[in-house]
Amino acid sequence: MKRLLVTGGLGFIGSHFVQMALERGYHVINVDKKTYAARKNLGFESFPHYELIEADICTMTHLPPGVDFVVNFAAESHVDNSITANRVFFESNAYGVYNLLELIRAKNETDRPVFLHISTDEVYGSHMTGECTEDNKIYPSSPYSATKAAADELIYAWYKTYGIKYIICRSCNNYGIGQHPEKLFSKTFDHLFNNKKMTVHGDGSYKREWLYVGDNCDAILTVLEKGKTGEVYNISSKEEHSVVDVVKMIITGMGRKPEEWIEFIPNRFGQDGRYAINCDKVKALGWKPTMTLKQYIPQYAEIYKKTYGSV
Ligand SMILES: NC(=O)c1ccc[n+]([C@@H]2O[C@H](COP(=O)([O-])OP(=O)(O)OC[C@H]3O[C@@H](n4cnc5c(N)ncnc54)[C@H](O)[C@@H]3O)[C@@H](O)[C@H]2O)c1
């Protein structure tokens, strides 16, 4: 049984990954600081091959023995927060990665896990045409994406200088159950449920790619099992929509009129016009996405209705 040390495994994507890894027979040691973004009552304790350590990746002093991979999801993840309070982003997203790399380096070479780091398409910055491959230059715009890019650069340097083995996954925007309501997809449902207009920055024309969280976790496990160390893998559904179009899809899906339920607010500083990534490399490992936003919105609405009574 392979042993994974998963950081941030109580967060949105990390918790789906932990569930999938446990179901596929991995031993999971979950390290999480339990910030405001951590989910509760996930039921992982019912798996005998699960352990939870409440800890901050910035202050951890050692890694447990016999770990095959450190899968690092732990991060501050909300771009708006990074604009108003950026220090903790630098600490968790950059310094935390530095500390994990040093903890791996401190081990005997034969006992060093592979560092599988979860990065983001945002590190490439805005590209109004075409799509970024893994070889594109890193050119971040927000404090969030700058700290994620800093982590990627640290990983390259620790590989070149100290031989630390790594794999980096860069995914696009995820959606699914358990996402904090600060994020666009769940926030739109939350606002509708509370009969509040959904707020959209600027004119909402900036484009993103949208990926079901289960597909992302499956891609990460595919990379873990079949990918090569020393490589970056982009992960995307190639489903590209502007932010305002996603909000409209959800509002329409709920049987309401978009023009009555959207409020446009001033744009975010450093807003990127478009992210688009090429994911042929992960597809060559045999992975492909299974879900689309159009298919998922009614499913999510049903789950929401069951939980809260109506939307
Ligand atoms: N959500 C997306 O659409 C998206 C897209 C691309 C990449 N990512 C990346 O995926 C990862 C997970 O994103 P998410 O949306 O699930 O985040 P999230 O904010 O939902 O969860 C983050 C988790 O990490 C934990 N954490 C934060 N700082 C920590 C620290 N210093 N030490 C230990 N634990 C800490 C939190 O308690 C939380 O459980 C992040 O690295 C993010 O940059 C997210």
Side-chain angles (χ1 to χ4, degrees):
M1 185 184 276
K2 277 213 156 58
R3 281 164 64 86
L4 312 181
L5 185 134
V6 178
T7 71
L10 297 179
F12 166 52
I13 306 175
S15 60
H16 284 271
F17 179 84
V18 167
Q19 180 78 37
M20 197 177 275
L22 289 170
E23 284 168 2
R24 294 194 193 175
Y26 288 94
H27 183 107
V28 175
I29 305 166
N30 187 359
V31 174
D32 200 295
K33 184 178 151 187
K34 295 193 178 171
T35 69
Y36 75 96
R39 300 176 68 193
K40 296 183 182 67
N41 306 323
L42 291 161
F44 296 150
E45 288 72 16
S46 63
F47 289 89
H49 45 293
Y50 174 77
E51 299 168 54
L52 176 66
I53 301 173
E54 187 172 344
D56 185 333
I57 57 166
C58 300
T59 53
M60 279 176 80
T61 54
H62 67 282
L63 297 177
V67 167
D68 299 291
F69 286 86
V70 171
V71 188
N72 182 42
F73 291 93
E76 290 293 331
S77 66
H78 190 40
V79 177
D80 285 350
N81 292 347
S82 82
I83 296 167
T84 53
N86 50 33
R87 189 187 175 98
V88 69
F89 281 73
F90 179 74
E91 288 166 354
S92 291
N93 301 5
Y95 184 80
V97 166
Y98 158 81
N99 193 40
L100 291 173
L101 289 167
E102 283 292 88
L103 295 180
I104 294 173
R105 185 163 84 90
K107 286 192 164 279
N108 289 333
E109 271 184 48
T110 49
D111 190 33
R112 281 182 184 166
V114 173
F115 190 57
L116 199 168
H117 176 66
I118 309 305
S119 183
T120 164
D121 60 352
E122 299 194 26
V123 297
Y124 297 117
S126 189
H127 290 262
M128 295 313 289
T129 55
E131 41 180 44
C132 294
T133 70
E134 290 82 355
D135 295 329
N136 264 74
K137 193 175 142 212
I138 288 178
Y139 196 48
S141 304
S142 70
Y144 162 71
S145 53
T147 59
K148 295 296 289 184
D152 291 9
E153 299 281 26
L154 287 168
I155 294 164
Y156 293 148
W158 260 243
Y159 163 68
K160 286 184 197 158
T161 308
Y162 305 115
I164 302 300
K165 289 190 182 142
Y166 76 89
I167 301 177
I168 296 176
C169 290
R170 294 186 181 138
S171 86
C172 61
N173 276 18
N174 282 221
Y175 57 86
I177 294 294
Q179 188 165 37
H180 194 279
E182 67 194 1
K183 306 277 172 33
L184 186 97
F185 186 83
S186 45
K187 186 173 173 178
T188 307
F189 279 92
D190 245 45
H191 276 229
L192 290 182
F193 175 68
N194 290 302
N195 281 321
K196 273 166 52 185
K197 288 187 178 188
M198 175 59 187
T199 50
V200 171
H201 286 120
D203 63 2
S205 62
Y206 34 96
K207 292 188 169 171
R208 306 287 184 257
E209 291 179 287
W210 303 88
L211 176 66
Y212 175 57
V213 65
D215 285 333
N216 188 20
C217 293
D218 185 40
I220 296 166
L221 272 170
T222 302
V223 166
L224 185 151
E225 286 162 4
K226 300 185 193 160
K228 270 179 38 192
T229 59
E231 296 285 335
V232 177
Y233 292 88
N234 288 340
I235 305 174
S236 161
S237 59
K238 298 312 303 164
E239 199 188 349
E240 182 177 326
H241 301 286
S242 71
V243 160
V244 74
D245 282 347
V246 171
V247 172
K248 284 180 181 169
M249 278 165 79
I250 296 172
I251 296 174
T252 311
M254 297 304 98
R256 300 195 193 181
K257 293 183 180 148
E259 58 276 19
E260 291 171 9
W261 290 96
I262 299 179
E263 181 189 351
F264 292 95
I265 59 171
N267 211 347
R268 195 187 245 177
F269 293 110
Q271 183 76 268
D272 281 327
R274 179 173 174 266
Y275 304 127
I277 51 177
N278 176 295
C279 55
D280 290 349
K281 203 165 155 184
V282 67
K283 283 189 171 158
L285 300 178
W287 171 84
K288 60 175 194 293
T290 61
M291 185 65 79
T292 65
L293 262 177
K294 210 174 168 182
Q295 288 169 328
Y296 190 69
I297 287 170
Q299 291 181 27
Y300 189 85
E302 274 313 305
I303 295 165
Y304 216 105
K305 275 184 213 158
K306 273 193 197 126
T307 314
Y308 300 108
S310 69
V311 176

